[in-house]
Amino acid sequence: MTHPADTFVYDAAKIIAYQADRRFDYNTQLSAPEYNLLDVIRLWLGTLFGNETTANLIGWLLLGFFVLVVGWVIFFVYKKRPGLFFREKRKPLACEIEEEDIYRIDFEKELAAALAGDDFRLAVRMLYLQTLRLAADRQWIDWQIYKTPTEYVLELKPAGRKTLFRDFTNHFLEVRYGNFRATRELFDAMCRLQGELRKGGDDETER
């Protein structure tokens, strides 16, 4: 017994037409709609109050309250830790001094004011800068506003003064950058070292 021939013919044009027809796009009917958080809140409020306008209003109020809470938290953190929001200024390295023109400072006046106020930290700093002025005037160092204390120790002339100047500089660095407490005793010790440096300038030959 013979069977009738299969007369099914693949019609590509019809298939394309069916695919373009939204009535045959069953996947969109099966997939759930996408909602954002605000839509979910509005739907929940609409179900709760049964009034879409009221639900929308309350939704916007809740959103505004949320924004206020977040803003308050950010403000609170900013007040406690402002460094989290702004880049802090670079602290001086342990080998730097602030840029300051030693030829424009009245050292006698500044030292007298610092000692009168028991501000030995400032007195130590002024004494160091005054000693740089002394060394520069005697051409022991080539003073430049950008140089570091370590550079001055290395280049100091005459060589016989280097140990005194290194000890003197280390006292300054300890107070200025090492969080050492500046005291009257420390200041007096630096004054004695400065006195030894002064005496050395008159009887030693520059090299």
Side-chain angles (χ1 to χ4, degrees), residues 34 105 184:
E34 297 182 358
I105 299 175
R184 164 65 76 172

Side-chain angles (χ1 to χ4, degrees), residues 136-151:
D137 288 346
R138 294 182 175 182
Q139 299 182 344
W140 292 354
I141 61 172
D142 176 24
W143 179 82
Q144 298 294 334
I145 202 167
Y146 57 82
K147 284 188 177 181
T148 67
T150 302
E151 289 178 284

Side-chain angles (χ1 to χ4, degrees), residues 7-109:
T7 58
F8 176 78
V9 178
Y10 179 80
D11 191 334
K14 288 185 177 181
I15 297 299
I16 294 174
Y18 289 142
Q19 290 177 341
D21 193 336
R22 295 180 60 86
R23 294 176 301 171
F24 297 99
D25 189 3
Y26 301 114
N27 289 331
T28 58
Q29 300 177 26
L30 296 175
S31 61
E34 297 182 358
Y35 295 105
N36 56 36
L37 180 60
L38 184 59
D39 291 333
V40 173
I41 294 175
R42 290 172 58 189
L43 289 173
W44 175 73
L45 292 174
T47 303
L48 184 64
F49 294 98
N51 185 304
E52 184 176 355
T53 302
T54 303
N56 288 336
L57 177 61
I58 295 177
W60 284 111
L61 289 175
L62 288 176
L63 180 62
F65 176 75
F66 175 76
V67 171
L68 287 176
V69 170
V70 172
W72 181 84
V73 170
I74 293 175
F75 177 76
F76 178 79
V77 174
Y78 168 75
K79 295 295 288 185
K80 294 293 184 180
R81 298 289 299 276
L84 296 175
F85 297 86
F86 302 101
R87 179 178 296 179
E88 296 183 355
K89 293 183 178 179
R90 184 180 67 89
K91 294 181 179 180
L93 298 177
C95 61
E96 296 178 332
I97 61 172
E98 293 181 0
E99 293 185 355
E100 194 156 14
D101 189 345
I102 59 176
Y103 289 96
R104 302 178 66 178
I105 299 175
D106 185 342
F107 290 109
E108 298 300 328
K109 177 182 177 181

Side-chain angles (χ1 to χ4, degrees), residues 71-190:
W72 181 84
V73 170
I74 293 175
F75 177 76
F76 178 79
V77 174
Y78 168 75
K79 295 295 288 185
K80 294 293 184 180
R81 298 289 299 276
L84 296 175
F85 297 86
F86 302 101
R87 179 178 296 179
E88 296 183 355
K89 293 183 178 179
R90 184 180 67 89
K91 294 181 179 180
L93 298 177
C95 61
E96 296 178 332
I97 61 172
E98 293 181 0
E99 293 185 355
E100 194 156 14
D101 189 345
I102 59 176
Y103 289 96
R104 302 178 66 178
I105 299 175
D106 185 342
F107 290 109
E108 298 300 328
K109 177 182 177 181
E110 295 296 333
L111 281 169
L115 294 174
D118 290 334
D119 189 349
F120 294 108
R121 184 178 179 84
L122 178 59
V124 164
R125 180 162 169 264
M126 288 294 106
L127 189 67
Y128 174 78
L129 295 177
Q130 184 186 50
T131 306
L132 286 187
R133 170 68 181 273
L134 168 70
D137 288 346
R138 294 182 175 182
Q139 299 182 344
W140 292 354
I141 61 172
D142 176 24
W143 179 82
Q144 298 294 334
I145 202 167
Y146 57 82
K147 284 188 177 181
T148 67
T150 302
E151 289 178 284
Y152 291 127
V153 171
L154 293 175
E155 73 179 47
L156 185 80
K157 298 180 298 184
R161 301 289 94 190
K162 280 193 175 183
T163 300
L164 284 172
F165 189 63
R166 182 185 300 110
D167 293 342
F168 180 86
T169 301
N170 286 340
H171 285 314
F172 166 73
L173 292 175
E174 287 172 351
V175 172
R176 186 67 176 163
Y177 304 111
N179 294 322
F180 279 61
R181 182 169 173 265
T183 62
R184 164 65 76 172
E185 291 75 19
L186 177 63
F187 176 78
D188 290 342
M190 291 182 68

